[in-house]
C-alpha cells in the first residue's frame, strides 16, 4: 500500500526521533517501525535488534504527538 504524506511523516518520525527517544529512555536498542496494513490500519512495532517484536501499537488516525504518547505508554509497560 502506498503511503500518503501524513503516513510518510509518521514513518520518518518513527525511524528517527521516536526510535532515538526509546533507546535513550529505555536504555536499550529498540526500534519503532511504522507500517500500514493492507486494511489501512496504521501500526508501530517496537522491535529489538534481533527482530523480536516487543509490542505492536495501533496508531491509526494519531497525530505525531498522539503516536509518541501511545508508543511510549506501551513501551513502558
Amino acid at each position: 500500500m502506498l503511503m500518503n504524506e501524513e503516513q510518510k511523516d509518521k514513518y520518518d518520525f518513527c525511524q528517527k526521533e521516536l526510535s532515538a527517544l526509546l533507546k535513550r529512555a529505555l536504555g536499550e536498542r529498540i526500534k519503532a517501525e511504522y507500517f500500514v496494513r493492507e486494511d489501512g490500519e496504521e501500526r508501530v512495532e517496537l522491535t529489538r535488534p534481533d527482530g523480536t517484536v516487543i509490542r505492536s501499537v495501533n496508531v491509526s488516525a494519531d497525530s505525531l504527538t498522539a503516536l509518541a504518547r501511545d508508543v511510549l505508554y506501551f513501551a513502558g509497560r
Side-chain angles (χ1 to χ4, degrees):
M1 173 177 276
L2 292 175
M3 289 189 213
N4 62 35
E5 287 302 313
E6 182 180 340
Q7 291 168 334
K8 288 177 188 175
D9 286 344
K10 290 179 183 181
Y11 177 86
D12 289 341
F13 176 73
C14 287
Q15 291 294 307
K16 299 172 187 168
E17 292 89 355
L18 188 55
S19 288
L21 178 59
L22 287 167
K23 180 180 175 184
R24 178 85 169 142
L26 300 176
E28 61 179 302
R29 288 178 46 210
I30 294 178
K31 273 176 55 176
E33 298 183 317
Y34 173 86
F35 64 96
V36 182
R37 294 181 4 169
E38 286 297 320
D39 63 3
E41 183 178 81
E42 300 171 72
R43 300 202 68 83
V44 172
E45 287 186 345
L46 304 179
T47 60
R48 290 195 169 101
D50 66 3
T52 304
V53 176
I54 302 166
R55 294 258 191 239
S56 183
V57 182
N58 183 333
V59 295
S60 295
D62 280 5
S63 64
L64 292 182
T65 304
L67 183 152
R69 180 197 62 222
D70 290 349
V71 170
L72 288 169
Y73 174 80
F74 285 106
R77 299 191 84 179

Coordinates of all heavy atoms in Angstrom, one line a residue:
M1 N 0.8 -1.2 0.0 CA 0.0 0.0 0.0 C 0.9 1.2 0.0 O 1.8 1.3 0.8 CB -0.9 0.0 1.2 CG -1.7 1.2 1.4 SD -2.8 1.1 2.8 CE -4.2 0.3 2.1
L2 N 0.6 2.2 -0.9 CA 1.4 3.4 -0.9 C 1.0 4.3 0.2 O -0.2 4.4 0.6 CB 1.1 4.2 -2.2 CG 1.6 3.5 -3.5 CD1 1.2 4.3 -4.7 CD2 3.1 3.4 -3.4
M3 N 2.0 5.0 0.8 CA 1.7 5.9 1.9 C 1.4 7.3 1.4 O 2.0 7.8 0.5 CB 2.9 6.0 2.9 CG 3.1 4.7 3.6 SD 4.4 5.0 4.9 CE 5.2 3.4 4.9
N4 N 0.5 8.0 2.1 CA 0.2 9.4 1.8 C 1.2 10.2 2.6 O 2.1 9.7 3.3 CB -1.2 9.8 2.2 CG -1.6 9.6 3.7 OD1 -0.7 9.8 4.5 ND2 -2.8 9.2 3.9
E5 N 1.2 11.5 2.5 CA 2.2 12.4 3.1 C 2.2 12.3 4.6 O 3.3 12.3 5.2 CB 2.0 13.9 2.6 CG 2.4 14.1 1.2 CD 3.9 13.8 0.9 OE1 4.8 14.2 1.7 OE2 4.1 13.1 -0.1
E6 N 1.0 12.3 5.2 CA 0.9 12.2 6.7 C 1.6 10.8 7.1 O 2.3 10.8 8.2 CB -0.5 12.2 7.1 CG -0.7 12.2 8.6 CD -2.1 12.3 9.0 OE1 -3.0 12.7 8.2 OE2 -2.4 11.8 10.2
Q7 N 1.3 9.8 6.4 CA 1.9 8.5 6.8 C 3.4 8.5 6.6 O 4.1 7.9 7.4 CB 1.2 7.4 6.0 CG -0.2 7.2 6.4 CD -1.0 6.3 5.4 OE1 -0.7 6.2 4.2 NE2 -2.1 5.6 5.9
K8 N 3.9 9.1 5.6 CA 5.3 9.2 5.4 C 6.0 10.0 6.5 O 7.1 9.6 7.0 CB 5.6 9.9 4.0 CG 5.3 9.1 2.8 CD 5.6 9.8 1.5 CE 5.1 9.0 0.3 NZ 5.3 9.8 -0.9
D9 N 5.3 11.1 7.0 CA 5.8 11.8 8.1 C 5.9 10.9 9.4 O 6.9 11.0 10.1 CB 4.9 13.0 8.4 CG 5.1 14.1 7.5 OD1 6.1 14.2 6.7 OD2 4.2 15.0 7.4
K10 N 4.9 10.1 9.6 CA 4.9 9.2 10.7 C 6.0 8.2 10.6 O 6.7 7.8 11.6 CB 3.5 8.5 10.8 CG 2.4 9.4 11.3 CD 1.1 8.6 11.3 CE -0.1 9.5 11.7 NZ -1.4 8.7 11.8
Y11 N 6.2 7.6 9.4 CA 7.3 6.7 9.1 C 8.6 7.3 9.5 O 9.4 6.7 10.2 CB 7.2 6.2 7.7 CG 8.4 5.3 7.3 CD1 8.2 3.9 7.5 CD2 9.5 5.8 6.8 CE1 9.3 3.1 7.2 CE2 10.6 5.0 6.4 CZ 10.4 3.6 6.7 OH 11.5 2.8 6.3
D12 N 8.9 8.5 9.0 CA 10.1 9.2 9.2 C 10.3 9.5 10.7 O 11.4 9.3 11.3 CB 10.2 10.5 8.4 CG 10.4 10.3 6.9 OD1 10.8 9.2 6.5 OD2 10.1 11.2 6.2
F13 N 9.3 10.0 11.4 CA 9.3 10.3 12.8 C 9.7 9.0 13.6 O 10.5 9.1 14.5 CB 7.9 10.8 13.2 CG 7.8 11.1 14.7 CD1 8.5 12.2 15.3 CD2 7.1 10.2 15.5 CE1 8.4 12.4 16.6 CE2 7.0 10.5 16.9 CZ 7.6 11.6 17.4
C14 N 9.1 7.9 13.3 CA 9.4 6.7 14.0 C 10.8 6.2 13.8 O 11.5 5.8 14.7 CB 8.4 5.6 13.6 SG 6.8 5.8 14.2
Q15 N 11.3 6.3 12.5 CA 12.7 5.9 12.2 C 13.7 6.7 12.9 O 14.7 6.2 13.3 CB 12.9 5.9 10.7 CG 12.1 4.9 9.9 CD 12.5 3.5 10.1 OE1 13.7 3.2 10.0 NE2 11.5 2.7 10.5
K16 N 13.5 8.0 13.0 CA 14.5 8.9 13.5 C 14.2 9.2 15.0 O 14.8 8.7 15.9 CB 14.5 10.1 12.7 CG 14.9 9.8 11.2 CD 14.8 11.1 10.4 CE 15.0 10.7 8.9 NZ 14.6 11.8 8.0
E17 N 13.3 10.2 15.2 CA 13.1 10.8 16.6 C 12.6 9.8 17.6 O 13.1 9.7 18.7 CB 12.2 12.0 16.5 CG 12.8 13.2 15.8 CD 12.5 13.2 14.3 OE1 11.9 12.3 13.8 OE2 12.9 14.2 13.7
L18 N 11.6 9.0 17.2 CA 11.0 8.2 18.2 C 11.9 7.0 18.6 O 12.0 6.6 19.8 CB 9.6 7.6 17.7 CG 8.8 6.9 18.8 CD1 8.5 7.7 20.0 CD2 7.4 6.5 18.2
S19 N 12.6 6.4 17.6 CA 13.5 5.3 17.9 C 14.6 5.8 18.8 O 15.0 5.1 19.8 CB 14.1 4.7 16.6 OG 13.1 4.0 16.0
A20 N 15.1 7.0 18.6 CA 16.2 7.6 19.4 C 15.7 7.8 20.8 O 16.4 7.6 21.8 CB 16.7 8.9 18.8
L21 N 14.5 8.3 20.9 CA 13.9 8.6 22.3 C 13.7 7.3 23.0 O 14.0 7.2 24.2 CB 12.5 9.3 22.1 CG 11.8 9.6 23.4 CD1 12.6 10.5 24.4 CD2 10.5 10.2 23.1
L22 N 13.2 6.2 22.4 CA 13.0 5.0 23.0 C 14.4 4.4 23.5 O 14.5 3.9 24.6 CB 12.4 4.0 22.1 CG 10.9 4.2 21.8 CD1 10.4 3.4 20.6 CD2 10.1 3.9 23.1
K23 N 15.4 4.5 22.7 CA 16.7 4.0 23.0 C 17.2 4.7 24.3 O 17.7 4.1 25.2 CB 17.7 4.2 21.9 CG 19.1 3.7 22.2 CD 20.0 4.0 21.0 CE 21.4 3.6 21.3 NZ 22.3 3.9 20.2
R24 N 17.1 6.0 24.3 CA 17.5 6.8 25.4 C 16.7 6.6 26.7 O 17.3 6.4 27.8 CB 17.5 8.3 25.1 CG 17.9 9.2 26.1 CD 19.4 9.4 26.1 NE 19.7 10.5 27.0 CZ 20.8 10.5 27.8 NH1 21.6 9.5 27.8 NH2 21.0 11.5 28.6
A25 N 15.4 6.5 26.6 CA 14.5 6.4 27.7 C 14.6 5.0 28.3 O 14.5 4.9 29.5 CB 13.1 6.7 27.3
L26 N 14.7 4.0 27.5 CA 14.6 2.6 28.0 C 16.0 2.0 28.2 O 16.1 0.9 28.8 CB 13.8 1.7 27.0 CG 12.3 2.2 26.8 CD1 11.7 1.3 25.8 CD2 11.6 2.2 28.1
G27 N 17.0 2.6 27.7 CA 18.4 2.1 27.9 C 18.7 0.9 27.1 O 19.6 0.1 27.4
E28 N 18.0 0.6 26.0 CA 18.3 -0.5 25.2 C 17.9 -0.1 23.7 O 17.2 0.8 23.5 CB 17.5 -1.8 25.6 CG 16.0 -1.7 25.6 CD 15.4 -3.0 26.0 OE1 15.7 -4.0 25.3 OE2 14.6 -3.0 26.9
R29 N 18.5 -0.9 22.8 CA 18.3 -0.6 21.4 C 16.9 -1.1 20.9 O 16.8 -2.3 20.7 CB 19.4 -1.1 20.5 CG 20.7 -0.4 20.7 CD 21.9 -1.0 19.9 NE 21.5 -1.3 18.6 CZ 22.0 -2.2 17.8 NH1 22.9 -3.0 18.4 NH2 21.6 -2.4 16.6
I30 N 16.0 -0.2 20.9 CA 14.6 -0.6 20.4 C 14.3 0.3 19.2 O 14.5 1.5 19.3 CB 13.6 -0.5 21.5 CG1 13.9 -1.5 22.6 CG2 12.2 -0.7 21.0 CD1 12.9 -1.4 23.8
K31 N 13.8 -0.3 18.2 CA 13.4 0.5 17.0 C 11.8 0.6 17.0 O 11.1 -0.4 17.3 CB 13.8 -0.2 15.7 CG 15.2 0.2 15.3 CD 15.7 -0.6 14.1 CE 14.8 -0.4 12.9 NZ 15.3 -1.1 11.7
A32 N 11.4 1.7 16.6 CA 9.9 2.0 16.4 C 9.7 1.8 14.8 O 10.2 2.7 14.1 CB 9.5 3.3 16.9
E33 N 9.0 0.8 14.4 CA 8.8 0.6 13.0 C 7.4 0.8 12.6 O 6.5 0.1 13.1 CB 9.3 -0.8 12.6 CG 10.7 -1.0 12.9 CD 11.2 -2.4 12.5 OE1 10.5 -3.4 12.8 OE2 12.3 -2.5 11.8
Y34 N 7.1 1.9 11.8 CA 5.8 2.2 11.4 C 5.4 1.5 10.1 O 6.3 1.4 9.2 CB 5.7 3.7 11.2 CG 4.4 4.2 10.6 CD1 3.3 4.5 11.4 CD2 4.3 4.4 9.2 CE1 2.1 4.9 10.8 CE2 3.1 4.8 8.6 CZ 2.0 5.1 9.5 OH 0.8 5.5 8.9
F35 N 4.2 1.0 10.0 CA 3.7 0.5 8.7 C 2.2 0.6 8.7 O 1.5 0.8 9.7 CB 4.2 -1.0 8.6 CG 3.6 -1.9 9.6 CD1 2.5 -2.7 9.3 CD2 4.3 -2.1 10.8 CE1 2.0 -3.6 10.3 CE2 3.8 -3.0 11.8 CZ 2.6 -3.7 11.5
V36 N 1.7 0.5 7.4 CA 0.3 0.5 7.2 C -0.1 -0.9 6.7 O 0.5 -1.4 5.7 CB -0.1 1.6 6.1 CG1 -1.6 1.6 5.9 CG2 0.4 2.9 6.6
R37 N -1.1 -1.5 7.3 CA -1.5 -2.8 6.9 C -2.4 -2.7 5.7 O -2.8 -1.6 5.3 CB -2.3 -3.5 8.0 CG -1.5 -3.8 9.2 CD -2.2 -4.5 10.4 NE -3.6 -4.8 10.2 CZ -4.3 -5.6 11.0 NH1 -3.8 -6.1 12.0 NH2 -5.6 -5.8 10.7
E38 N -2.6 -3.8 5.0 CA -3.5 -3.8 3.8 C -4.9 -3.3 4.0 O -5.5 -2.7 3.2 CB -3.6 -5.3 3.3 CG -2.3 -5.8 2.6 CD -1.9 -4.9 1.4 OE1 -2.8 -4.6 0.6 OE2 -0.7 -4.7 1.2
D39 N -5.4 -3.5 5.3 CA -6.7 -3.0 5.6 C -6.7 -1.5 6.0 O -7.8 -0.9 6.3 CB -7.4 -3.8 6.7 CG -6.7 -3.7 8.0 OD1 -5.7 -3.0 8.1 OD2 -7.1 -4.5 9.0
G40 N -5.5 -0.8 5.9 CA -5.4 0.6 6.2 C -5.1 0.9 7.6 O -4.8 2.1 8.0
E41 N -5.1 -0.1 8.5 CA -4.7 0.2 9.9 C -3.2 0.5 10.0 O -2.4 -0.1 9.4 CB -5.0 -1.1 10.7 CG -4.7 -0.9 12.2 CD -5.0 -2.1 13.0 OE1 -4.2 -3.0 13.1 OE2 -6.1 -2.1 13.6
E42 N -2.9 1.6 10.8 CA -1.6 2.0 11.0 C -1.1 1.5 12.3 O -1.7 1.5 13.3 CB -1.5 3.6 11.0 CG -2.0 4.2 9.8 CD -2.2 5.7 9.9 OE1 -1.1 6.4 10.0 OE2 -3.3 6.2 10.0
R43 N 0.2 0.9 12.3 CA 0.7 0.3 13.5 C 2.2 0.7 13.6 O 2.9 1.0 12.7 CB 0.6 -1.2 13.4 CG -0.8 -1.7 13.3 CD -1.1 -3.1 13.7 NE -0.9 -3.3 15.1 CZ -1.8 -3.1 16.1 NH1 -3.0 -2.6 15.8 NH2 -1.5 -3.5 17.3
V44 N 2.6 0.7 14.9 CA 4.1 0.8 15.2 C 4.5 -0.4 16.0 O 3.8 -0.7 17.0 CB 4.4 2.1 16.0 CG1 5.8 2.1 16.5 CG2 4.1 3.3 15.2
E45 N 5.5 -1.1 15.5 CA 6.0 -2.3 16.2 C 7.3 -1.9 16.8 O 8.2 -1.2 16.2 CB 6.3 -3.4 15.2 CG 5.0 -4.1 14.8 CD 5.2 -5.4 14.0 OE1 6.3 -5.6 13.5 OE2 4.2 -6.1 13.8
L46 N 7.5 -2.2 18.1 CA 8.7 -2.0 18.8 C 9.5 -3.3 18.7 O 9.1 -4.3 19.2 CB 8.4 -1.7 20.3 CG 7.5 -0.5 20.5 CD1 7.2 -0.3 22.0 CD2 8.0 0.8 19.9
T47 N 10.7 -3.2 18.1 CA 11.5 -4.4 17.9 C 12.9 -4.2 18.5 O 13.5 -3.1 18.5 CB 11.6 -4.7 16.4 OG1 12.2 -3.5 15.7 CG2 10.2 -4.9 15.8
R48 N 13.4 -5.4 18.9 CA 14.8 -5.4 19.3 C 15.7 -5.7 18.1 O 15.2 -6.1 17.0 CB 15.0 -6.6 20.3 CG 14.3 -6.3 21.6 CD 14.7 -7.3 22.7 NE 14.3 -6.8 24.0 CZ 13.2 -7.4 24.6 NH1 12.5 -8.3 24.1 NH2 12.9 -6.9 25.8
P49 N 17.0 -5.5 18.2 CA 17.9 -5.7 17.1 C 17.8 -7.1 16.5 O 18.1 -7.2 15.3 CB 19.3 -5.4 17.7 CG 19.0 -4.5 18.8 CD 17.7 -4.9 19.4
D50 N 17.5 -8.1 17.3 CA 17.4 -9.4 16.7 C 16.1 -9.7 16.0 O 15.8 -10.8 15.5 CB 17.6 -10.5 17.8 CG 16.4 -10.5 18.8 OD1 15.5 -9.7 18.7 OD2 16.5 -11.3 19.8
G51 N 15.2 -8.6 15.9 CA 13.9 -8.8 15.2 C 12.8 -9.1 16.0 O 11.6 -9.2 15.5
T52 N 13.0 -9.4 17.3 CA 11.9 -9.8 18.2 C 11.0 -8.6 18.4 O 11.4 -7.5 18.7 CB 12.4 -10.2 19.6 OG1 13.4 -11.2 19.4 CG2 11.3 -10.6 20.5
V53 N 9.7 -8.8 18.2 CA 8.7 -7.7 18.4 C 8.3 -7.7 19.8 O 7.8 -8.7 20.4 CB 7.5 -7.9 17.5 CG1 6.4 -6.8 17.7 CG2 7.9 -7.9 16.0
I54 N 8.5 -6.6 20.5 CA 8.1 -6.4 21.9 C 6.6 -6.1 22.0 O 5.9 -6.6 22.9 CB 9.0 -5.3 22.6 CG1 10.4 -5.7 22.4 CG2 8.6 -5.1 24.0 CD1 11.3 -4.5 22.8
R55 N 6.2 -5.1 21.2 CA 4.8 -4.6 21.3 C 4.4 -4.2 19.9 O 5.3 -3.8 19.1 CB 4.7 -3.4 22.2 CG 4.9 -3.6 23.6 CD 3.6 -3.7 24.3 NE 3.8 -3.6 25.7 CZ 3.5 -4.6 26.6 NH1 2.8 -5.6 26.1 NH2 3.7 -4.5 27.9
S56 N 3.1 -4.2 19.6 CA 2.6 -3.7 18.4 C 1.4 -2.7 18.8 O 0.5 -3.2 19.6 CB 2.0 -4.8 17.5 OG 1.5 -4.3 16.3
V57 N 1.5 -1.5 18.4 CA 0.6 -0.4 18.9 C -0.2 0.1 17.7 O 0.4 0.5 16.7 CB 1.4 0.7 19.6 CG1 0.4 1.8 20.1 CG2 2.3 0.2 20.7
N58 N -1.5 0.2 17.8 CA -2.4 0.8 16.8 C -2.2 2.3 16.9 O -2.5 2.8 18.0 CB -3.8 0.3 17.0 CG -4.7 0.8 16.0 OD1 -4.5 1.9 15.4 ND2 -5.8 0.1 15.7
V59 N -1.8 2.9 15.8 CA -1.7 4.4 15.8 C -2.5 5.0 14.7 O -2.2 6.1 14.3 CB -0.2 4.8 15.7 CG1 0.6 4.3 16.9 CG2 0.4 4.2 14.4
S60 N -3.6 4.3 14.3 CA -4.4 4.8 13.2 C -5.0 6.2 13.7 O -5.5 6.3 14.8 CB -5.6 3.8 12.9 OG -5.0 2.7 12.4
A61 N -5.0 7.1 12.8 CA -5.5 8.5 13.0 C -4.8 9.3 14.0 O -5.3 10.3 14.4 CB -7.0 8.4 13.3
D62 N -3.7 8.8 14.5 CA -2.9 9.6 15.6 C -2.1 10.7 14.9 O -1.6 10.5 13.8 CB -1.9 8.7 16.3 CG -2.5 7.8 17.4 OD1 -3.8 7.9 17.5 OD2 -1.8 7.2 18.1
S63 N -2.1 11.8 15.6 CA -1.1 12.9 15.2 C 0.3 12.4 15.7 O 0.4 11.3 16.4 CB -1.5 14.2 16.0 OG -1.3 14.0 17.4
L64 N 1.3 13.1 15.3 CA 2.6 12.7 15.8 C 2.7 12.7 17.3 O 3.3 11.8 17.9 CB 3.7 13.6 15.2 CG 4.0 13.4 13.7 CD1 5.1 14.4 13.3 CD2 4.3 12.0 13.3
T65 N 2.1 13.7 17.9 CA 2.1 13.8 19.4 C 1.4 12.6 20.0 O 1.9 12.0 20.9 CB 1.5 15.1 19.9 OG1 2.1 16.2 19.3 CG2 1.5 15.2 21.4
A66 N 0.2 12.3 19.5 CA -0.5 11.1 20.0 C 0.2 9.8 19.7 O 0.2 8.9 20.6 CB -1.9 11.1 19.4
L67 N 0.8 9.7 18.6 CA 1.6 8.5 18.2 C 2.7 8.3 19.3 O 2.9 7.2 19.8 CB 2.2 8.6 16.8 CG 2.9 7.4 16.3 CD1 2.8 7.5 14.7 CD2 4.4 7.5 16.7
A68 N 3.5 9.4 19.5 CA 4.6 9.3 20.5 C 4.0 8.9 21.9 O 4.6 8.0 22.6 CB 5.3 10.6 20.6
R69 N 2.9 9.5 22.3 CA 2.3 9.2 23.6 C 1.9 7.8 23.7 O 2.2 7.1 24.7 CB 1.1 10.1 23.9 CG 0.5 9.9 25.2 CD -0.9 10.5 25.3 NE -1.8 9.8 24.3 CZ -2.6 10.5 23.5 NH1 -2.8 11.8 23.6 NH2 -3.3 9.8 22.6
D70 N 1.2 7.3 22.7 CA 0.7 5.9 22.7 C 1.9 4.9 22.7 O 1.9 3.9 23.5 CB -0.2 5.6 21.5 CG -1.5 6.4 21.6 OD1 -1.8 6.9 22.6 OD2 -2.2 6.4 20.5
V71 N 2.9 5.1 21.9 CA 4.0 4.2 21.9 C 4.8 4.2 23.2 O 5.1 3.2 23.7 CB 4.9 4.5 20.6 CG1 6.2 3.7 20.7 CG2 4.2 4.2 19.3
L72 N 5.1 5.4 23.7 CA 5.8 5.5 25.0 C 5.0 4.8 26.1 O 5.6 4.2 27.0 CB 6.1 6.9 25.3 CG 7.2 7.6 24.4 CD1 7.3 9.1 24.6 CD2 8.6 6.9 24.6
Y73 N 3.7 5.0 26.1 CA 2.9 4.4 27.1 C 3.0 2.9 27.1 O 3.3 2.2 28.1 CB 1.4 4.8 26.9 CG 0.5 4.1 27.9 CD1 0.4 4.5 29.2 CD2 -0.2 3.0 27.5 CE1 -0.5 3.8 30.1 CE2 -1.1 2.3 28.3 CZ -1.2 2.7 29.6 OH -2.0 2.1 30.5
F74 N 2.9 2.3 25.9 CA 3.0 0.8 25.8 C 4.4 0.3 26.0 O 4.7 -0.8 26.4 CB 2.4 0.3 24.5 CG 0.9 0.4 24.6 CD1 0.2 1.4 23.9 CD2 0.1 -0.5 25.4 CE1 -1.2 1.4 24.0 CE2 -1.2 -0.5 25.5 CZ -1.9 0.5 24.8
A75 N 5.4 1.1 25.6 CA 6.8 0.7 25.7 C 7.2 0.5 27.2 O 8.0 -0.3 27.5 CB 7.7 1.7 25.0
G76 N 6.6 1.4 28.0 CA 7.0 1.3 29.5 C 6.3 0.3 30.3 O 6.5 0.1 31.4
R77 N 5.4 -0.5 29.6 CA 4.6 -1.5 30.4 C 5.2 -2.8 30.3 O 5.9 -3.3 29.5 CB 3.2 -1.6 29.7 CG 2.5 -0.3 29.9 CD 1.1 -0.4 29.5 NE 0.5 -0.8 30.8 CZ -0.8 -1.1 31.0 NH1 -1.6 -0.9 30.0 NH2 -1.2 -1.5 32.1

